[in-house]
Coordinates of all heavy atoms in Angstrom, one line a residue:
F51 N -8.0 21.0 5.4 CA -8.8 22.2 5.2 C -10.1 21.7 4.4 O -10.0 20.7 3.6 CB -8.1 23.2 4.4 CG -7.0 23.9 5.2 CD1 -5.7 23.8 5.0 CD2 -7.5 24.8 6.3 CE1 -4.7 24.5 5.8 CE2 -6.5 25.5 7.1 CZ -5.1 25.3 6.8
P52 N -11.2 22.4 4.6 CA -12.5 21.9 4.1 C -12.6 21.5 2.7 O -13.3 20.5 2.2 CB -13.5 23.0 4.5 CG -12.8 23.7 5.5 CD -11.3 23.6 5.3
Q53 N -12.0 22.3 1.7 CA -12.2 22.1 0.3 C -11.1 21.2 -0.4 O -11.1 21.1 -1.6 CB -12.3 23.4 -0.3 CG -13.5 24.3 0.1 CD -13.5 25.6 -0.6 OE1 -12.6 26.1 -1.2 NE2 -14.6 26.3 -0.3
V54 N -10.3 20.7 0.4 CA -9.1 19.9 -0.3 C -9.4 18.9 -1.1 O -9.0 18.8 -2.3 CB -8.1 19.5 0.9 CG1 -7.1 18.4 0.4 CG2 -7.4 20.7 1.5
F55 N -10.3 18.0 -0.7 CA -10.7 16.8 -1.6 C -11.3 17.4 -2.9 O -11.0 16.9 -4.0 CB -11.7 15.9 -0.9 CG -12.0 14.7 -1.6 CD1 -11.3 13.5 -1.4 CD2 -13.1 14.7 -2.6 CE1 -11.6 12.3 -2.1 CE2 -13.3 13.5 -3.3 CZ -12.6 12.4 -3.0
D56 N -12.2 18.4 -2.8 CA -12.8 18.9 -3.9 C -11.8 19.5 -4.9 O -11.9 19.3 -6.1 CB -13.9 19.9 -3.4 CG -14.8 20.4 -4.6 OD1 -15.0 19.6 -5.5 OD2 -15.2 21.6 -4.5
I57 N -10.9 20.3 -4.3 CA -9.8 20.9 -5.1 C -9.0 19.9 -5.9 O -8.8 20.0 -7.2 CB -8.8 21.7 -4.3 CG1 -9.5 22.9 -3.6 CG2 -7.6 22.1 -5.1 CD1 -8.7 23.6 -2.5
L58 N -8.6 18.9 -5.3 CA -7.8 17.8 -5.9 C -8.5 17.0 -6.9 O -8.0 16.7 -8.0 CB -7.2 16.9 -4.8 CG -6.2 17.6 -3.8 CD1 -5.8 16.6 -2.8 CD2 -5.0 18.3 -4.4
Y59 N -9.7 16.7 -6.6 CA -10.6 16.0 -7.5 C -10.8 16.8 -8.9 O -10.8 16.3 -9.9 CB -12.0 15.7 -6.8 CG -12.9 14.9 -7.7 CD1 -12.9 13.5 -7.6 CD2 -13.8 15.5 -8.6 CE1 -13.6 12.7 -8.5 CE2 -14.6 14.7 -9.4 CZ -14.5 13.4 -9.4 OH -15.4 12.6 -10.1
D60 N -11.0 18.1 -8.6 CA -11.2 19.0 -9.8 C -10.0 19.1 -10.6 O -10.1 19.0 -11.9 CB -11.6 20.5 -9.2 CG -11.9 21.4 -10.2 OD1 -10.9 22.0 -10.9 OD2 -13.1 21.7 -10.5
L61 N -8.8 19.2 -10.0 CA -7.5 19.3 -10.8 C -7.3 18.0 -11.6 O -6.9 18.1 -12.8 CB -6.4 19.6 -9.9 CG -6.5 21.0 -9.2 CD1 -5.3 21.2 -8.3 CD2 -6.5 22.2 -10.3
I62 N -7.6 16.8 -10.9 CA -7.3 15.5 -11.6 C -8.3 15.5 -12.8 O -7.9 15.0 -13.9 CB -7.7 14.4 -10.6 CG1 -6.5 14.3 -9.6 CG2 -7.9 13.1 -11.3 CD1 -5.3 13.6 -10.1
S63 N -9.5 15.9 -12.6 CA -10.6 15.8 -13.7 C -10.2 16.7 -14.8 O -10.6 16.5 -16.0 CB -12.0 16.0 -13.1 OG -12.1 17.4 -12.8
R64 N -9.5 17.7 -14.6 CA -8.9 18.6 -15.7 C -7.7 18.0 -16.4 O -7.1 18.6 -17.3 CB -8.7 20.0 -15.2 CG -9.9 20.7 -14.7 CD -9.6 22.1 -14.1 NE -10.5 22.7 -13.4 CZ -11.3 23.8 -13.6 NH1 -10.9 24.4 -14.8 NH2 -12.1 24.2 -12.9
G65 N -7.1 16.9 -15.9 CA -6.0 16.3 -16.5 C -4.7 16.6 -16.0 O -3.7 16.2 -16.5
F66 N -4.6 17.3 -14.8 CA -3.3 17.6 -14.3 C -2.8 16.4 -13.5 O -3.5 15.6 -13.0 CB -3.4 18.8 -13.3 CG -3.7 20.1 -13.9 CD1 -5.0 20.7 -13.7 CD2 -2.8 20.8 -14.6 CE1 -5.2 21.9 -14.3 CE2 -3.1 22.0 -15.2 CZ -4.3 22.6 -15.0
V67 N -1.5 16.4 -13.5 CA -0.7 15.4 -12.6 C -0.4 16.1 -11.3 O -0.1 17.3 -11.3 CB 0.6 15.0 -13.3 CG1 1.4 14.1 -12.3 CG2 0.3 14.3 -14.7
L68 N -0.7 15.5 -10.2 CA -0.5 16.0 -9.0 C 0.7 15.4 -8.1 O 0.9 14.2 -8.3 CB -1.8 15.9 -8.1 CG -3.0 16.5 -8.8 CD1 -4.2 16.5 -7.8 CD2 -2.8 18.0 -9.2
G69 N 1.3 16.2 -7.3 CA 2.4 15.7 -6.4 C 2.4 16.4 -5.1 O 1.7 17.4 -4.9
V70 N 3.2 15.8 -4.1 CA 3.3 16.2 -2.8 C 4.8 16.5 -2.6 O 5.7 15.7 -3.0 CB 2.9 15.2 -1.8 CG1 3.4 15.6 -0.4 CG2 1.4 15.1 -1.8

Side-chain angles (χ1 to χ4, degrees):
F51 285 114
Q53 298 176 349
V54 163
F55 186 92
D56 190 31
I57 292 166
L58 300 178
Y59 185 87
D60 184 280
L61 294 175
I62 286 282
S63 69
R64 294 176 196 250
F66 291 109
V67 175
L68 304 185
V70 168

